[in-house]
Amino acid sequence: MALIVHKYGGTSMGSPERIRNVAKRVAKWARAGHQMVVVPSAMSGETNRLLGLAKEVSPAVQTPAVLRELDMIACTGEQVSVGLLALALQAEGMEAISYNGWQVPIKTDQAYTKARIESIDDARVRADLAAGRVVVITGFQGIDGDGNVTTLGRGGSDTSAVAVAAAMKAAECLIYTDVDGVYTTDPRVVPEARRLHTVSFEEMLEMASLGSKVLQIRSVEFAGKYRVPMRVLSSFTPWDIAIEEEAKSGTLITFEEDEKMEQAVVSGIAFNRDEAKITVMGVPDKPGIAYSILGKVADANIDVDVIIQNVSHDGRTDFSFTVHRNDYQRTVDLLNKDVVPALGAKEVLGDTKICKVSIVGIGMRSHAGVASTMFRALSEEGINIQMITTSEIKTSVVIDEKYMELAVRALHKAFDLDQPNT
Ligand code: ASP
Ligand code: MG
């Protein structure tokens, strides 16, 4: 018997019938003797609907006062979910009780719409568990120091679940979702993509940050920091499959030291179409240049990803970086206004038709020649590389968007990810 946290995504909670299915699955675990805490998302589409309503009422600029109200609105989706799930559990003959984030409480900072969890008091939940109840807690929600409701950013229920699991020292946090695990790459792009039985949390962190949307990245950070055993699995298996079978399904996020097996060099191929490339041409090559360009961008709260600066000719160089596409125009405008004249740079060029493709694997630490295999595979397909960045466990390239699928398929093959699990 163990304390287990289950998290169910919006699709799994998408209709009364699906909620009844979730209740049956949770009841099965509780009847097997486990203490159960369940963290559901809002029903699918609900958060979008709520935020859409807000936008219709007021398309206003997002001042802190506006953001506060957005959280008041968005958090209600999860409140409905927990109530419905607790009812469904009761109908299954379980004792069940639901809580909003503030009732637990799950305390956060005050960054409305993207708050960070600061602490969780588990006393109330523990008392319920001890009394034999299943506890259902809203995902996505928290409360700040002044008693305002906050939300954790889109997809934040994953983080709620992992944080609750960490605070309660749960034996495992099971993330039930509409895919059956983490894949070597997106199966819609590469039909031969395989489900990974295990993936290290560092690889998962890279894959999440590189655009694999299975988990909210903060949940992976949390799992790493507090070493929460976490598994991603399907909520569409029949609810009554044997617990032993269910507990082994999906993908387990592991910690490297736990790994006994020989690691594949590359575990997955990630890609992301959300970035745009910006080049400031003809900047004088002198100390402080990177700061005068990127400092201004950072001051505007724009995140920068890949950065390159080349050697200079005649005292001038070109400086390129990528930003999220949503920030593209704002960045170009800001550079034209504040940076180009001040530096005496030549001009700003931009390209929104790019994508970033990355290979990820902790095996890259101990193997040479991984990047060159990547570059060879791309060159054999005639794909031009515009930018390259590397870290210990990943290599990313920026290429023309139109070659994305070709590149992902070529790399998947080049690193033998098409081969069946051994
Ligand atoms: N309901 C929230 C969203 O749609 C949180 C979540 O589902 O994880 O972003
Ligand atoms: Mg999600």
Side-chain angles (χ1 to χ4, degrees):
M1 166 173 141
L3 198 165
I4 306 280
V5 175
H6 279 191
K7 184 264 170 178
Y8 291 91
T11 321
S12 322
M13 295 291 294
S15 66
E17 194 199 329
R18 288 190 180 168
I19 293 174
R20 279 197 296 272
N21 248 304
V22 168
K24 289 197 169 88
R25 192 183 295 274
V26 173
K28 173 185 74 180
W29 282 74
R31 289 197 183 101
H34 297 298
Q35 294 192 311
M36 297 302 299
V37 178
V38 190
V39 179
S41 290
M43 296 171 77
S44 56
E46 185 59 10
T47 311
N48 286 344
R49 188 185 72 85
L50 292 165
L51 291 172
L53 286 174
K55 215 171 188 167
E56 272 184 49
V57 171
S58 156
V61 278
Q62 308 212 322
T63 61
V66 168
L67 296 175
R68 181 188 182 281
E69 303 313 324
L70 291 183
D71 279 358
M72 279 301 269
I73 297 160
C75 78
T76 60
E78 270 70 11
Q79 177 168 343
V80 171
S81 279
V82 290
L84 289 173
L85 182 53
L87 274 184
L89 282 159
Q90 290 168 4
E92 281 302 311
M94 297 276 112
E95 274 201 57
I97 183 163
S98 69
Y99 292 122
N100 273 315
W102 61 268
Q103 291 172 302
V104 172
I106 296 176
K107 294 199 179 133
T108 71
D109 63 16
Q110 205 170 47
Y112 299 120
T113 74
K114 47 171 191 270
R116 283 185 179 268
I117 295 178
E118 288 179 340
S119 67
I120 297 179
D121 183 349
D122 66 352
R124 188 169 187 175
V125 178
R126 282 208 186 275
D128 285 315
L129 292 175
R133 296 186 191 107
V134 174
V135 182
V136 189
I137 302 174
T138 50
F140 191 46
Q141 286 187 14
I143 185 169
D144 75 7
D146 296 332
N148 300 298
V149 172
T150 54
T151 69
L152 307 182
R154 298 307 305 269
S157 297
D158 293 336
T159 303
S160 307
V162 177
V164 165
M168 307 210 56
K169 304 205 167 40
E172 198 164 280
C173 182
L174 304 181
I175 309 273
Y176 288 88
T177 179
D178 52 1
V179 292
D180 65 355
V182 179
Y183 276 69
T184 49
T185 194
D186 188 335
R188 284 168 299 189
V189 173
V190 184
E192 296 80 18
R194 286 181 298 105
R195 178 168 57 83
L196 296 163
H197 293 300
T198 63
V199 63
S200 78
F201 103 88
E202 287 167 290
E203 289 168 326
M204 198 58 225
L205 205 55
E206 291 284 6
M207 292 202 217
S209 68
L210 293 169
S212 142
K213 303 249 158 37
V214 187
L215 292 170
Q216 198 202 32
I217 183 160
R218 279 191 191 170
S219 71
V220 185
E221 286 166 8
F222 234 100
K225 189 158 168 207
Y226 297 99
R227 305 188 75 85
V228 180
M230 182 179 184
R231 184 181 291 275
V232 177
L233 69 172
S234 171
S235 65
F236 293 130
T237 54
W239 68 266
D240 55 355
I241 65 169
I243 285 195
E244 304 72 54
E245 193 188 328
E246 192 173 341
K248 283 191 308 216
S249 67
T251 302
L252 179 68
I253 320 275
T254 60
F255 301 96
E256 205 178 335
E257 304 88 278
D258 305 344
E259 285 291 287
K260 303 270 180 322
M261 290 170 291
E262 177 72 19
Q263 274 294 333
V265 179
V266 169
S267 297
I269 316 288
F271 54 87
N272 165 348
R273 269 183 267 233
D274 298 336
E275 291 183 31
K277 183 175 81 168
I278 293 174
T279 304
V280 188
M281 303 285 292
V283 288
D285 192 7
K286 61 179 193 211
I289 282 303
Y291 175 64
S292 32
I293 298 173
L294 296 180
K296 282 273 183 296
V297 175
D299 290 346
N301 255 320
I302 296 168
D303 286 334
V304 169
D305 185 26
V306 184
I307 304 172
I308 46 174
Q309 184 193 329
N310 217 322
V311 288
S312 60
H313 296 283
D314 311 321
R316 293 201 171 251
T317 184
D318 304 329
F319 192 93
S320 301
F321 57 95
T322 64
V323 296
H324 196 280
R325 272 189 208 180
N326 293 343
D327 291 326
Y328 171 72
Q329 200 51 50
R330 205 155 62 93
T331 313
V332 170
D333 292 347
L334 173 151
L335 291 170
N336 277 324
K337 186 164 143 285
D338 293 339
V339 175
V340 171
L343 288 181
K346 210 165 127 239
E347 61 180 328
V348 177
L349 299 179
D351 186 355
T352 55
K353 298 219 167 353
I354 57 150
C355 72
K356 189 171 74 174
V357 177
S358 312
I359 56 174
V360 178
I362 48 178
M364 288 168 73
R365 280 194 189 126
S366 46
H367 286 81
V370 180
S372 77
T373 303
M374 178 184 204
F375 303 149
R376 190 184 61 223
L378 295 173
S379 87
E380 280 169 5
E381 297 296 342
I383 299 171
N384 185 39
I385 301 172
Q386 303 178 16
M387 300 169 101
I388 303 170
T389 60
T390 65
S391 79
E392 224 188 342
I393 65 162
K394 113 189 145 190
T395 301
S396 303
V397 295
V398 170
I399 60 173
D400 188 322
E401 173 183 67
K402 69 172 181 262
Y403 297 123
M404 191 193 81
E405 304 201 343
L406 181 62
V408 173
R409 268 187 239 121
L411 293 171
H412 199 264
K413 195 157 198 172
F415 288 101
D416 290 334
L417 295 175
D418 295 356
Q419 302 306 316
N421 286 349
T422 43

